[in-house]
Amino acid sequence: MEHTLSDVYITRTAAFLPGEPIGNQDMETVLGKVGALPSRVRERILRANGITTRHYAIDPVSRAATHTCAELTVAAVRRLFQNGTDKNAVSLLACATSYPDQIMPGHGVMVHGLLNDTPPYEVASLSGVCAAGMAAMKYACNSVRCGEHEHAIAVAAETASAVMRREAFQGAFDEAKAENFTPELAFEKDFLRWMLSDGAGAVCLSNRPADDAPSCKVLWIDLISYANEMPVCMYAGGEVQDGAFVGWKSIDADERQARNVMNIQQDVKSLNANIVGYALEKALTASLKKHPITAQEIDYFLPHYSSGYFRDKVYQGLCNIGFEIPYEKWFTNLPAKGNTGSASIYIMLDEFLRTVKPQSGQKILCFVPESGRFSSAFMLLEMV
């Protein structure tokens, strides 16, 4: 018997950002100085990325951690319940993060364990880098679409501060590179400390729109990886040796610690040379072949990019493939919320729906690139 696929709607959104906003002048005090001297490139990196405030799961006075990644995730899910999602009607929990609190058990079941007043759920743990959040979204969406669940939660969270704090580093940065600073080359080490931040976001996906609030119909979600063509670019828990990626299990424990193998690292030259061409131009061209739509039909564009440095590059990439979306249609909260990795699109969508309040019939294109090994995600929504 043929089964009819269901429409899927985002009926509720929520976000949780720990603590008060941290301004640029206070970042180094909260994270801690690496070495005896302040960072020589911090101010120039911040001018390039355009971020003015962000949130850390760190007490600004004691510098103790305030939340684990699982706890941040739970805080976002509980806000979803407060916003009207019935925890007893939900039957699937799809959780994403770039850097979970532990290697195993999976991040999702640790979250479910803290949600100890909910029923048993199907639980999925999605990993990766920024696109992991969209992988959780697609897992939940397809589960509702095929009829396995009526209501599902997709949630993503990051506690980047846990590996950006002074205590996570064995030695000072090579400050000599500051003399030859360029925005893209500063990514190499210091950029990540002044870029990544903490937060969580969640959505409820249902097989019918909400009765008491606007909903977003999910028209399609596309994820694509170019790892078959591209090397590792952003990583943690390993290192590149003679052109090959070597995981932490193959590196002696003392060497892991001495070389900060568990910290997040970035191949800046590869990022700058390839992220727009692969994650935007090639990926969106492939999506448009499957889902024909013109740029004029897009009412709003929600792009996740790691830095304001890439804003104009993303625009030029759209123009290069004949899909120009003017800036007046763009929405981002990067300056105030920072780069929260896989959670960024959730936090952005929650604020967009609350503040912009798009009208019925308007279409929203969401874009999430990932430099882990060059992946991309696009999602097209329609307000109902």
Side-chain angles (χ1 to χ4, degrees), residues 279-353:
L280 177 63
E281 295 177 14
K282 290 189 70 168
L284 184 55
T285 297
S287 286
L288 294 175
K289 288 180 180 178
K290 294 191 293 181
H291 315 285
I293 189 172
T294 65
Q296 290 70 35
E297 294 175 74
I298 303 300
D299 297 288
Y300 294 99
F301 181 49
L302 274 59
H304 164 62
Y305 44 82
S306 61
S307 168
Y309 171 77
F310 285 111
R311 180 178 173 86
D312 291 342
K313 295 180 181 294
V314 169
Y315 175 76
Q316 187 58 53
L318 291 170
C319 294
N320 289 347
I321 61 170
F323 204 78
E324 178 186 1
I325 302 176
Y327 284 128
E328 56 263 29
K329 292 185 175 183
W330 292 35
F331 178 88
T332 179
N333 55 10
L334 178 71
K337 303 302 191 298
N339 177 7
T340 51
S342 67
S344 290
I345 195 64
Y346 289 77
I347 295 169
M348 195 188 312
L349 184 61
D350 175 69
E351 184 173 331
F352 169 77
L353 294 175

Side-chain angles (χ1 to χ4, degrees), residues 63-247:
R63 296 192 59 254
T66 61
H67 299 79
T68 65
C69 188
E71 288 168 343
L72 272 189
T73 308
V74 167
V77 172
R78 291 208 180 281
R79 286 201 171 173
L80 203 61
F81 295 154
Q82 293 167 6
N83 292 347
T85 296
D86 182 355
K87 65 185 178 184
N88 295 307
V90 168
S91 52
L92 167 64
L93 177 66
C95 300
T97 186
S98 302
Y99 213 141
D101 301 316
Q102 67 292 311
I103 296 172
M104 55 182 172
H107 174 61
V109 295
M110 300 304 284
V111 172
H112 193 209
L114 294 177
L115 290 168
N116 52 18
D117 57 349
T118 63
Y121 289 157
E122 177 183 336
V123 174
S125 300
L126 288 301
S127 63
V129 193
C130 294
M134 288 302 299
M137 185 84 76
K138 184 162 186 174
Y139 185 102
C141 179
N142 284 353
S143 297
V144 173
R145 194 178 297 283
C146 72
E148 288 193 351
H149 301 273
E150 291 188 5
H151 308 282
I153 290 173
V155 58
E158 302 292 358
T159 48
S161 64
V163 290
M164 293 296 139
R165 296 166 72 244
R166 176 187 64 213
E167 291 80 1
F169 293 86
Q170 296 301 306
F173 290 123
D174 180 2
E175 300 287 358
K177 290 186 174 64
E179 297 302 322
N180 299 312
F181 175 84
T182 60
E184 67 271 16
L185 292 180
F187 281 24
E188 192 167 316
K189 284 186 178 178
D190 225 357
F191 171 85
L192 294 172
R193 295 195 82 218
W194 315 123
M195 189 63 216
L196 303 176
S197 52
D198 303 343
V203 302
C204 179
L205 296 131
S206 302
N207 60 4
R208 52 190 178 273
D211 296 327
D212 57 348
S215 299
C216 299
K217 184 177 181 180
V218 182
L219 299 181
W220 49 264
I221 301 174
D222 276 358
L223 286 91
I224 189 166
S225 161
Y226 292 102
N228 61 314
E229 301 177 24
M230 300 300 293
V232 173
C233 179
M234 187 175 185
Y235 51 93
E239 61 183 15
V240 177
Q241 298 178 1
D242 299 324
F245 187 79
V246 179

Side-chain angles (χ1 to χ4, degrees), residues 241-260:
Q241 298 178 1
D242 299 324
F245 187 79
V246 179
W248 65 273
K249 290 191 288 185
S250 300
I251 302 172
D252 178 79
D254 290 338
E255 286 297 305
R256 288 202 302 266
Q257 186 174 18
R259 300 206 295 266
N260 297 324

